[in-house]
Amino acid sequence: MADETVVIEHPNRGKASSQLTRLLVVLLLLASAFLVAVVTIGGWNTLEGAKPVQIAFILLYLLLAYFVARWSRGVLPMIAALAIILGIFAVVAAPAWFDRARDGFTDPSLSSDLLGLICVLIAAVQAALIVVSLQAFRQAWNVEVERRPESSPRAVPQAG
């Protein structure tokens, strides 16, 4: 029995809903990383201590997108937690960017109003990312089913 080969299948990964959810999580992570990069680059001259945090979020989101693309279910709760944190940062930062549009503030590379709008968009994308990542977690991508290959000697009935 030890020499028999066993094929491991993941039946929940083949479902259209699981594939769509995985695609949505990856796209939302990539969109979030892009939007944070736009705010980071566009406001580089006016950002004080947030540069390392924003760069860390960009790199983390790209890494997490890679893991989700490889069907890693374990990172999904961490994605939701990071989305909550980044969403809070974006909600707090948006009014500050809008306030910078007044006279007396250093002008960032991009318009302060545009950066504030992007922060609002980041918060909305984070809310969607929380919902979609937790929905993906419920789909049980990790379920495995062991099957014997059809060509195995045990599967062929022997005359006897």
Side-chain angles (χ1 to χ4, degrees):
M1 234 185 196
D3 61 340
E4 292 183 19
T5 58
V6 175
V7 177
I8 297 177
E9 294 179 2
H10 298 89
N12 293 337
R13 294 181 185 179
K15 295 178 182 177
S17 62
S18 295
Q19 292 177 359
L20 177 65
T21 306
R22 179 181 73 150
L23 177 67
L24 286 174
V25 171
V26 169
L27 288 176
L28 288 170
L29 284 168
L30 294 176
S32 297
F34 173 75
L35 291 171
V36 173
V38 168
V39 170
T40 303
I41 294 167
W44 188 264
N45 296 333
T46 55
L47 293 174
E48 292 294 324
K51 293 174 190 175
V53 174
Q54 288 177 285
I55 292 170
F57 265 103
I58 294 167
L59 295 176
L60 264 174
Y61 272 30
L62 293 175
L63 181 66
L64 292 172
Y66 170 76
F67 280 119
V68 171
R70 296 188 66 218
W71 291 104
S72 178
R73 178 179 179 250
V75 297
L76 294 169
M78 188 169 59
I79 291 170
L82 288 172
I84 291 170
I85 294 169
L86 185 58
I88 291 170
F89 286 162
V91 167
V92 170
W97 283 115
F98 290 128
D99 288 343
R100 292 190 74 80
R102 299 182 188 142
D103 291 333
F105 287 101
T106 306
D107 290 332
S109 301
L110 293 177
S111 165
S112 295
D113 288 333
L114 178 62
L115 291 173
L117 183 63
I118 292 173
C119 285
V120 171
L121 188 59
I122 289 172
V125 170
Q126 298 316 296
L129 185 57
I130 293 165
V131 171
V132 174
S133 65
L134 292 179
Q135 175 62 30
F137 189 74
R138 293 182 59 213
Q139 291 176 339
W141 297 347
N142 61 327
V143 172
E144 296 178 346
V145 176
E146 294 181 359
R147 300 198 193 280
R148 296 192 188 335
E150 297 300 324
S151 62
S152 72
R154 191 156 199 215
V156 177
Q158 296 178 358

